[in-house]
Amino acid sequence: MTAAGLLRYLALPLAALGAMLACLPASAAGIVATVTDENGKPLSEAVITVTAAQPAPVPAAAAARLATATIDQRNEMFMPEVVVIHTGGAVIFRDSDQVRHHVYSFSTIKQFEFVQSPGDVSAPVRFDQAGIAAIGCNIHDNMIAYVYVTDAPWAAVTGPDGAVDIGGLPAGHFAATVWHPRLRPGITLPLHALTLATAETALSVTLPV
């Protein structure tokens, strides 16, 4: 085979690969949110919710992540302290302690109570109304958790570093809100306007807690 023929031969799979790449969808947009207190300390357990200015389809994977959540009970603590689910989603409670717990909520959006023995896993507790439900234990008063129920298409909870990455959003205009269980009373949560392209957009929020 001549040199020119060899080049033509090698170019065939490269051309096919280029055609395949051209057919792939453009990279989705994302938000990298960082939440701190007024002293600059990272705030874990902050809930970020994101809503599109215009209706936009939510990928199935993103919807599935907010369909259910699990709250464990370990060392007489609810773990994690905060979970976020879509309206109509459910939370499963697990007792990984060596003692019984009496899980309850008297919140306006959902009221329930049940006793769990060590190793028990509850039936899914469904939340059909948006809002925030505080969860406690009637045996251990120091235990508290929060279920944040939202209609927003995208939502996530910050980690120990006060940060969270929300990916898989289409390009466009969005509004984000940030909530934390230790917010000062009477605080009105501002809307943070965001314009997303095909790369990650940073959102930095300081909360008075």
Side-chain angles (χ1 to χ4, degrees):
M1 180 181 294
T2 65
L6 179 61
L7 289 174
R8 285 196 299 271
Y9 176 80
L10 293 175
L12 288 175
L14 292 176
L17 177 61
M20 263 174 45
L21 292 175
C23 294
L24 292 176
S27 299
I31 298 171
V32 178
T34 304
V35 184
T36 58
D37 65 15
E38 291 175 308
N39 295 317
K41 181 180 178 181
L43 283 176
S44 63
E45 313 290 357
V47 176
I48 318 292
T49 60
V50 181
T51 304
Q54 299 294 331
V58 181
R65 282 194 294 270
L66 297 177
T68 59
T70 298
I71 296 180
D72 202 352
Q73 294 156 90
R74 285 181 278 154
N75 302 318
E76 297 182 9
M77 296 174 59
F78 286 118
M79 302 180 71
E81 180 186 356
V82 178
V83 296
V84 59
I85 57 172
H86 274 151
T87 305
V91 176
I92 296 170
F93 293 87
R94 183 189 306 273
D95 185 355
S96 295
D97 271 336
Q98 298 302 310
V99 298
R100 288 194 313 160
H101 292 294
H102 186 164
V103 182
Y104 75 93
S105 175
F106 297 146
S107 302
T108 56
I109 68 165
K110 185 70 176 183
Q111 298 184 11
F112 62 91
E113 61 177 313
F114 53 85
V115 174
Q116 286 194 293
S117 297
D120 281 357
V121 178
S122 76
V125 178
R126 196 158 302 282
F127 291 78
D128 293 321
Q129 184 178 343
I132 302 166
I135 313 296
C137 174
N138 258 332
I139 301 174
H140 308 97
D141 291 339
N142 61 297
M143 294 176 62
I144 189 166
Y146 300 90
V147 178
Y148 192 109
V149 187
T150 180
D151 293 326
W154 296 272
V157 181
T158 59
D161 58 354
V164 68
D165 189 343
I166 303 176
L169 287 80
H173 300 285
F174 296 83
T177 64
V178 184
W179 173 87
H180 193 272
R182 295 195 300 277
L183 274 173
R184 291 179 191 166
I187 294 294
T188 299
L189 298 179
L191 284 176
H192 302 273
L194 297 166
T195 299
L196 306 184
T198 56
E200 290 187 328
T201 298
L203 171 65
S204 297
V205 179
T206 299
L207 292 181
V209 294

